[in-house]
Amino acid sequence: MLKEIALKTRERTGKTLLYGEDYMDDGTKIALTVDINEHEGSAVVDFSGTGYEVYGNCNTPRAVTLSALIYCLRCMVGHDVPLNQGCLAPIKIVIPSGTILSPSAGAAVVGGNVLTSQRIVDVILKAFDTCAASQGCMNNVTFGDEDVGYYETVAGGAGAGPGWNGRSGVHSHCTNTRITDSEILERRFAPSYMHICDVFTSLVS
């Protein structure tokens, strides 16, 4: 898989030593250096230079970064690849401890899965010069009470790339989840379909 990605990357960018960075809303940097060995089909993926863990809840467990990496590699290879840990076997992954991507045991991480994950994907695709960034956040709407709860991702937009334009208001990367049918919502959770439409309209307008 990596040999194929390395070949495509070198043809597109002229290099196999890659770098990308982006910033969280609070200024915390996510930095990535990728060194691909085209002949061996291996790589070093190094997040050194990434900012320290934060007091807020946008820290993310290491597993989220690994998932984002597998997702990006499967997107770039251009054909179906089984989704399993073996995808990462030829890759050495460096994530310094104490950073926003490998926080301490007591750090808050609830926002890491829904916000930082999307920013990690943007950084990986930027390093490979694959496409422009998405909205950089797994936007969502949630409501409920002590008995029921509802959670849905909200489309924000997708970045442009070679041969295609960016688009607003479409799902991308981590937000690309199946939406619950409105009839199921009405049957199980009681809110009216029109009210839900009003909520979504107010969020995106």
Side-chain angles (χ1 to χ4, degrees):
M1 178 175 69
L2 279 174
K3 288 182 179 180
E4 182 177 342
I5 292 174
L7 177 61
K8 290 180 178 178
T9 302
R10 183 166 53 78
E11 289 176 347
R12 188 174 61 253
T13 68
K15 55 188 178 181
T16 55
L17 180 60
L18 314 170
Y19 180 79
E21 66 178 40
D22 202 350
Y23 295 84
M24 303 293 291
D25 289 351
D26 67 355
T28 302
K29 181 194 288 187
I30 299 176
L32 172 62
T33 301
V34 182
D35 189 0
I36 307 176
N37 188 316
E38 184 178 355
H39 303 292
E40 293 182 1
S42 62
V44 177
V45 174
D46 189 352
F47 287 92
S48 294
T50 293
Y52 294 114
E53 68 178 71
V54 296
Y55 288 111
N57 60 24
C58 285
N59 302 292
T60 180
R62 179 183 173 91
V64 172
T65 300
L66 302 186
S67 296
L69 180 58
I70 291 176
Y71 164 77
C72 291
L73 293 175
R74 294 177 77 225
C75 286
M76 289 185 287
V77 77
H79 55 79
D80 288 339
V81 176
L83 180 56
N84 57 63
Q85 189 69 19
C87 295
L88 298 180
I91 303 174
K92 178 182 178 181
I93 302 169
V94 180
I95 307 176
S97 298
T99 64
I100 193 174
L101 304 184
S102 183
S104 61
V109 296
V110 68
N113 190 48
V114 297
L115 199 161
T116 314
S117 59
Q118 193 87 327
R119 204 64 56 92
I120 297 168
V121 168
D122 284 343
V123 170
I124 296 169
L125 295 178
K126 181 178 183 179
F128 282 89
D129 200 26
T130 302
C131 63
S134 69
Q135 75 273 21
C137 176
M138 190 172 168
N139 313 298
N140 59 82
V141 59
T142 182
F143 59 86
D145 56 25
E146 62 274 9
D147 297 317
V148 298
Y150 177 79
Y151 178 102
E152 200 76 72
T153 53
V154 181
W164 74 88
N165 296 322
R167 292 190 63 187
S168 177
V170 296
H171 281 293
S172 62
H173 311 317
C174 308
T175 75
N176 196 16
T177 55
R178 292 186 63 184
I179 192 168
T180 306
D181 293 334
S182 57
E183 293 82 4
I184 299 298
L185 283 176
E186 288 186 318
R187 184 181 305 122
R188 295 183 181 177
F189 300 121
S192 71
Y193 175 65
M194 291 307 297
H195 179 65
I196 293 172
C197 288
D198 290 341
V199 171
F200 276 98
T201 300
S202 65
L203 286 170
V204 300
S205 62

